[in-house]
């Protein structure tokens, strides 16, 4: 079974600063996908960024970028120029390729952006 | 973008009654939908995979007779919590992927349903 670990239950960052959330996973698969989801207080799950394991280039989406280290099975999320609206729970997720869509979620990191 | 609508957003019911939660894909078809449960400050736990026109696949430890899932059409899945008890109080979230879709297509989530059983 796949496991996804987020070792930081809570983090905080000053507004406009940069913060990195860590995520590691355990799998014997070679082809898979990784995602970061954000869950603000509204509880709506929002996709932040995704990464294909076969791509070496790290994904970026505006202020959000990842550091994907396949050999180390690490998938950290960097948020630049943090904004108050970034305050949320962040979940790392893993999906095997071609398996019928099952996602495995990490335990989450609660991020607070301090004004 | 893809929209998944979940209803109701909140429900309070008495112990012993049943509650139905609906999950609709508004602008795409979904032969497969997923039901998650989330306890406060915890991660999402997959309860079951809902399959259009066939039986749902339940995760280990999830009582299929308690959490009835029906996926009668390509855009609607329902979760019925039967004979609810206070320990069933939780946040329930449905999700789906656009089909057909690229293999890296993400899950799209409903807004969730907060169930409180008194």
């Amino acid at each position: 079974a796949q496991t996804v670990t987020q070792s930081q239950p809570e983090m905080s960052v000053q507004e406009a600063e940069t913060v990195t959330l860590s995520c590691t996973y355990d799998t014997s698969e070679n082809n898979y996908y990784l995602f970061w989801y954000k869950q603000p207080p509204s509880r709506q799950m929002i996709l932040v960024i995704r990464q294909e394991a076969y791509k070496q280039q790290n994904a970026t989406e505006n202020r959000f970028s990842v550091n994907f280290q396949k050999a180390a099975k690490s998938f950290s999320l960097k948020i630049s120029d943090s904004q108050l609206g970034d305050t949320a729970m962040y979940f790392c997720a893993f999906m095997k390729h071609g398996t019928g869509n099952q996602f495995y979620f990490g335990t989450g990191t609660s991020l607070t952006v301090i004004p | 973008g893809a929209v998944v609508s979940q209803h109701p957003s909140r429900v309070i019911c008495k112990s012993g009654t049943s509650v139905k939660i609906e999950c609709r894909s508004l602008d795409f078809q979904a032969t497969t939908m997923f039901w998650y449960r989330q306890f406060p400050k915890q991660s999402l736990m997959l309860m079951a995979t809902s399959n259009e026109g066939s039986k749902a696949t339940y995760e280990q430890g999830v009582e299929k007779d308690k959490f009835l899932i029906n996926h009668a059409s390509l855009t609607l899945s329902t979760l019925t919590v039967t004979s609810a008890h206070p320990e069933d109080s939780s946040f329930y979230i449905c999700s789906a992927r656009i089909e057909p879709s690229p293999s890296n297509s993400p899950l799209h989530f409903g807004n969730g349903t907060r169930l409180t059983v008194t």
Side-chain angles (χ1 to χ4, degrees), chain A residues 10 33 35 37 39 42-45 47 50 52 89 91 95 97-98 100-103 105-108, chain B residues 32 34 36 38-39 41-44 46 59 91 93 97 99 103-111 114:
Chain A
E10 295 182 355
Y33 306 95
F35 304 83
Y37 279 89
Q39 188 181 40
S42 66
R43 306 293 294 270
Q44 173 69 51
M45 292 286 285
L47 176 67
R50 77 183 90 175
E52 293 86 352
M89 281 289 289
F91 293 99
M95 184 185 77
H97 175 73
N101 312 316
Q102 186 166 32
F103 276 58
F105 286 91
T107 50
Chain B
T32 307
F34 305 91
Y36 290 86
Q38 186 181 29
F39 291 103
K41 298 189 178 183
Q42 293 190 25
S43 188
L44 282 69
L46 179 65
E59 295 300 301
F91 191 69
I93 313 176
R97 295 175 78 209
E99 298 170 5
S103 53
N104 66 345
S105 178
L107 283 177
H108 299 279
F109 288 85
N111 287 339
R114 180 177 298 283

Side-chain angles (χ1 to χ4, degrees), chain A residues 8-23:
Chain A
Q8 306 151 312
E10 295 182 355
M11 292 192 73
S12 62
V13 62
Q14 208 71 33
E15 193 175 6
E17 296 296 309
T18 295
V19 65
T20 298
L21 310 183
S22 66
C23 173

